[in-house]
């Protein structure tokens, strides 16, 4: 696995130009993720050997679509993807990680402390963190819920000018169609540079029909 991770890391660094400080923090994050994965299920076990290609690159791609912001709320952070990668890449911004699982939240706190990242971990359900959402300039989520469900989570709380960035796979067209029956929203579709058919949806002006 170590060899596979090294190869993935090299391919990642060839594709994405990151600073030396970001590179060092990503290395430490992956080391902590690998260590903790032996005790709790942070990511799908089969993807640990390809963590750089499957998770770090995908999260950094989402980050590159984000506008400048002061506060980001990452929903269902799990193992910190994309939230911790965003915090690593944007050290001057505050990133709130929302993760109701106590063990995963403990991992997120450990990484934030050891890497000196700015933000907070909220070990609560998304429905209980309205003030976090209402203060966010951007909201992110990856592999969390359907688009309709995500809109229902954020709409009661986000400020009108906030933007939501949700990573979606090949069925995103069906999700957009289903959500459009219940919601009005402005949308920009960013095609993935990593996987054909995958996208990052940028959403704003969300309201119920």
């Amino acid at each position: 696995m170590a060899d596979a991770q090294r190869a993935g890391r090299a391919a990642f660094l060839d594709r994405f130009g990151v600073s030396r400080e970001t590179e060092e923090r990503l290395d430490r994050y992956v080391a902590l993720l690998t260590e903790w994965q032996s005790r709790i299920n942070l990511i799908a076990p089969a993807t640990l050997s390809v963590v750089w290609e499957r998770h770090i690159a995908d999260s950094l791609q989402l980050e590159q679509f984000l506008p400048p912001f002061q506060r980001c709320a990452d929903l269902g952070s799990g193992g910190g993807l994309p939230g911790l990668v965003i915090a690593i890449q944007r050290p001057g911004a505050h990133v709130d990680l929302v993760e109701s699982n106590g063990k995963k939240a403990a991992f997120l706190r450990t990484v934030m402390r050891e890497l000196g990242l700015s933000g907070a971990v909220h070990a609560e359900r998304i429905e209980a963190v309205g003030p976090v959402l209402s203060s966010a300039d951007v909201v992110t989520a990856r592999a969390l819920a359907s688009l309709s469900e995500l809109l229902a989570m954020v709409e009661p709380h986000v400020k009108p000018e906030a933007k939501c960035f949700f990573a979606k796979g090949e069925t995103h067209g069906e999700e957009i169609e289903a959500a459009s029956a219940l919601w009005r929203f402005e949308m920009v579709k960013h095609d993935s540079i990593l996987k054909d058919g995958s996208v990052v949806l940028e959403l704003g002006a969300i309201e119920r029909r």
Side-chain angles (χ1 to χ4, degrees):
M1 186 182 69
D3 288 343
Q5 285 190 351
R6 277 194 291 271
R9 177 185 184 276
F12 169 86
L13 293 175
D14 280 344
R15 184 160 203 167
F16 293 93
V18 299
S19 69
R20 177 53 62 91
E21 181 181 46
T22 295
E23 181 181 334
E24 290 173 352
R25 284 177 167 170
L26 288 173
D27 281 338
R28 182 58 183 149
Y29 168 47
V30 170
L32 287 166
L33 181 68
T34 303
E35 175 190 340
W36 280 63
Q37 180 71 18
S38 65
R39 303 196 298 273
I40 63 174
N41 194 41
L42 294 166
I43 59 175
T47 66
L48 187 58
S49 62
V50 292
V51 63
W52 286 93
E53 309 97 293
R54 182 72 175 272
H55 297 297
I56 305 299
D58 194 47
S59 296
L60 188 60
Q61 174 184 237
L62 185 150
E63 181 276 331
Q64 292 183 341
F65 293 129
L66 303 181
F69 65 85
Q70 293 298 313
R71 298 184 74 98
C72 169
D74 183 52
L75 305 182
S77 296
L81 302 153
L84 285 176
V85 175
I86 293 170
I88 288 169
Q89 180 72 348
R90 306 230 187 167
H94 178 103
V95 179
D96 287 297
L97 306 175
V98 181
E99 174 51 56
S100 61
N101 181 286
K103 291 181 179 179
K104 292 179 180 179
F107 167 75
L108 297 173
R109 290 192 183 100
T110 298
V111 176
M112 294 198 81
R113 182 176 63 252
E114 292 205 13
L115 273 60
L117 302 177
S118 177
V121 178
H122 306 270
E124 300 178 81
R125 295 182 62 82
I126 294 168
E127 306 90 276
V129 294
V132 172
L133 283 167
S134 64
S135 67
D137 305 304
V138 298
V139 178
T140 58
R142 177 176 178 265
L144 177 61
S146 72
L147 182 57
S148 290
E149 291 171 319
L150 288 168
L151 295 177
M153 292 174 189
V154 302
E155 187 272 338
H157 307 292
V158 291
K159 51 192 177 186
E161 65 271 24
K163 297 292 185 180
C164 299
F165 293 81
F166 300 142
K168 289 293 174 183
E170 295 178 355
T171 62
H172 65 271
E174 298 168 21
E175 291 194 41
I176 294 169
E177 184 177 355
S180 297
L182 302 172
W183 303 92
R184 293 186 180 90
F185 48 84
E186 297 174 356
M187 181 180 71
V188 178
K189 187 188 300 184
H190 302 283
D191 291 329
S192 171
I193 62 171
L194 301 170
K195 185 177 180 182
D196 289 343
S198 293
V199 298
V200 173
L201 300 180
E202 177 183 346
L203 304 164
I206 302 162
E207 60 180 5
R208 287 188 180 272
R209 286 195 177 276

